[in-house]
Amino acid sequence: MVHPENNEKYKGLMVNKGIERPSSVNPYLKRPKKRHLSVNDYVEGIIKGDVTTLSRAVTLVESIRTEHQAIAQEVIEKCLPYAGNSVRIGISGVPGAGKSTSIDVFGLHVLQQGGKLAVLAIDPSSERSKGSILGDKTRMEKLSVHPDSFIRPSPSAGSLGGVARKTRETIVLCEAAGFDKIFVETVGVGQSETAVHSMVDFFLLIQLAGTGDELQGIKRGIMEMADGIAINKADGDNIDRAKLAASQFQSALRLFPAPESKWTPQVLTYSGFYNIGVKEIWDMVYQYIDFVKANGYFDYRRNEQSKYWMYETINEQLRDSFYHNPTIEKMLAEKEQQVLNGHLTSFVAAKRLLDAYFEALQ
Ligand code: GDP
């Protein structure tokens, strides 16, 4: 069978435009009311590995209601001692790179060795697109019906930092529920990679061979974060181009300073669709994990990530508190206008707003 994209008549770009799916929930359906769960019910259910309780707890983590957040934070705290025992892999690539196809195959591959896999996502655009990019479970056909997998679309509300924090908290819950492999997927469009990188042990960048100038489109910072680059769709007529792209990426990587992990990022080619080269990718990932566990970088990176998230949470909450303060809400537009008119310097405007904020707090 020839993949449609390898058909010589195929002229389309590799990037496919998604469609918005209608909600799968019938709005007229009366659902039975769910039993109210206490913090201990949540924790016990999660530790037993009960996926329904896990899903409900993740819904609380994602909720913006203060009372939900309060329960969620307690549940997370009680789950923390049971968490941490997993391998966390970030998987990034532009839409159309083949993430869904690959994660389906990768997932089945890692589950062959036993254990349980959770697939989470960070999609900063999901609020706009109603979660249509990474929101749909059916993108991973085989994995979504596998008894040992748990697939959760990206949380949708809030800033990128907020969305990412919720995904990170969900990792804790999944680990406490016995998921020992966690994939965090993101669209390769910029900042979301930084967020994913700050919560995974291995960052895999999925790339495509293009017209020979593939290195131009990809931001240096993203490449620098990658622990491995996998060139997808190395099948049919595309094999040579994929190999060429791989050697270009490999030489580009040599120009970067040596990573803190002392690991040399590798570039491999594979085909998610035909399941070629998938084993090699996972051999590389596990080789990396052994390597960084032996040299201490694994624990170091996790500690650094915890520190990062502490400061990130402080920053996010301070920002929220500032911008939602009624005094500031009243003043902000006016001060912005004065800066635009040249009546105030940016610095003075910022200082007046901050002074007003601190005064309002007293
Ligand atoms: P995503 O947007 O990154 O999740 O990408 P998808 O997994 O939805 O794949 C986008 C398109 O690329 C689909 O038409 C897939 O069938 C195709 N595709 C995915 N993997 C491969 C592959 O290994 N080889 C080829 N030729 N096409 C692939």
Side-chain angles (χ1 to χ4, degrees):
M1 182 184 43
V2 176
H3 188 279
E5 290 186 5
N6 291 328
N7 186 324
E8 55 184 27
K9 297 215 177 72
Y10 181 81
K11 293 272 190 308
L13 282 170
M14 299 291 181
V15 177
N16 291 2
K17 194 165 178 290
I19 50 158
E20 276 198 19
R21 280 178 181 263
S23 162
S24 58
V25 180
N26 179 349
Y28 301 107
L29 198 67
K30 281 222 171 70
R31 286 202 278 177
K33 226 174 171 354
K34 282 187 194 152
R35 192 171 69 86
H36 183 80
L37 297 182
S38 70
V39 169
N40 280 342
D41 293 336
Y42 277 113
V43 177
E44 272 168 31
I46 290 172
I47 291 165
K48 261 198 315 208
D50 175 43
V51 173
T52 315
T53 314
L54 172 65
S55 295
R56 285 184 65 179
V58 174
T59 307
L60 283 187
V61 166
E62 292 174 355
S63 167
I64 44 170
R65 286 178 45 189
T66 332
E67 65 271 29
H68 289 167
Q69 272 305 312
I71 304 174
Q73 290 311 321
E74 255 188 85
V75 173
I76 293 167
E77 205 179 320
K78 294 206 159 133
C79 282
L80 261 181
Y82 303 91
N85 200 8
S86 76
V87 175
R88 306 169 184 163
I89 317 285
I91 299 176
S92 177
V94 292
K99 292 182 296 304
S100 324
T101 316
S102 304
I103 290 176
D104 211 25
V105 180
F106 291 170
L108 295 181
H109 178 84
V110 300
L111 284 173
Q112 270 171 10
Q113 291 130 31
K116 297 205 289 177
L117 166 71
V119 180
L120 313 176
I122 294 183
D123 178 2
S125 64
S126 63
E127 196 163 23
R128 218 179 331 131
S129 59
K130 300 198 182 64
S132 63
I133 301 184
L134 301 181
D136 184 359
K137 285 190 195 184
T138 57
R139 293 181 309 124
M140 293 146 204
E141 267 173 44
K142 299 201 188 78
L143 207 53
S144 58
V145 293
H146 195 291
D148 298 320
S149 80
F150 174 74
I151 302 180
R152 185 83 189 189
S154 173
S156 61
S159 61
L160 170 62
V163 170
R165 178 173 54 78
K166 289 171 191 172
T167 302
R168 186 162 194 271
E169 291 174 344
T170 301
I171 293 181
V172 171
L173 301 183
C174 291
E175 289 176 348
F179 288 85
D180 58 344
K181 295 164 190 84
I182 314 274
F183 289 177
V184 185
E185 178 189 8
T186 194
V187 197
V189 285
Q191 282 179 320
S192 52
E193 278 81 9
T194 318
V196 174
H197 186 256
S198 62
M199 62 180 83
V200 297
D201 307 313
F202 186 98
F203 186 75
L204 181 70
L205 187 61
I206 297 185
Q207 285 291 310
L208 291 178
T211 49
D213 53 6
E214 40 271 357
L215 290 177
Q216 288 178 11
I218 150 160
K219 291 199 188 74
R220 189 194 147 101
I222 297 179
M223 254 179 91
E224 241 177 320
M225 272 188 277
D227 301 299
I229 296 180
I231 318 275
N232 191 17
K233 307 193 187 181
D235 46 50
D237 295 348
N238 214 17
I239 296 183
D240 289 341
R241 279 196 293 163
K243 284 195 179 138
L244 178 66
S247 62
Q248 288 174 335
F249 274 109
Q250 195 81 67
S251 15
L253 281 174
R254 274 191 215 110
L255 303 176
F256 293 155
E260 255 185 304
S261 60
K262 307 267 191 298
W263 165 261
T264 313
Q266 294 180 22
V267 186
L268 298 174
T269 60
Y270 78 108
S271 166
F273 190 80
Y274 293 103
N275 200 346
I276 305 168
V278 169
K279 178 181 179 296
E280 285 71 10
I281 293 180
W282 290 91
D283 288 349
M284 163 181 76
V285 173
Y286 289 126
Q287 207 189 334
Y288 168 90
I289 299 291
D290 288 345
F291 179 80
V292 291
K293 278 197 170 161
N295 76 6
Y297 182 76
F298 186 90
D299 289 332
Y300 168 80
R301 179 156 161 176
R302 284 209 173 173
N303 284 339
E304 285 295 301
Q305 290 172 339
S306 301
K307 208 165 77 182
Y308 168 88
W309 281 100
M310 184 184 95
Y311 288 108
E312 192 53 31
T313 309
I314 294 175
N315 292 344
E316 190 198 330
Q317 305 217 347
L318 280 178
R319 231 185 345 251
D320 262 16
S321 154
F322 177 80
Y323 286 109
H324 291 127
N325 183 292
T327 312
I328 298 303
E329 278 177 344
K330 269 189 238 130
M331 286 173 71
L332 203 57
E334 181 201 327
K335 288 282 167 276
E336 185 184 302
Q337 202 48 50
Q338 289 173 339
V339 170
L340 291 175
N341 293 342
H343 293 156
L344 271 186
T345 66
S346 317
F347 177 77
V348 171
K351 181 152 185 345
R352 291 206 184 143
L353 282 161
L354 285 166
D355 287 347
Y357 171 69
F358 290 126
E359 216 166 282
L361 285 187
Q362 282 167 14

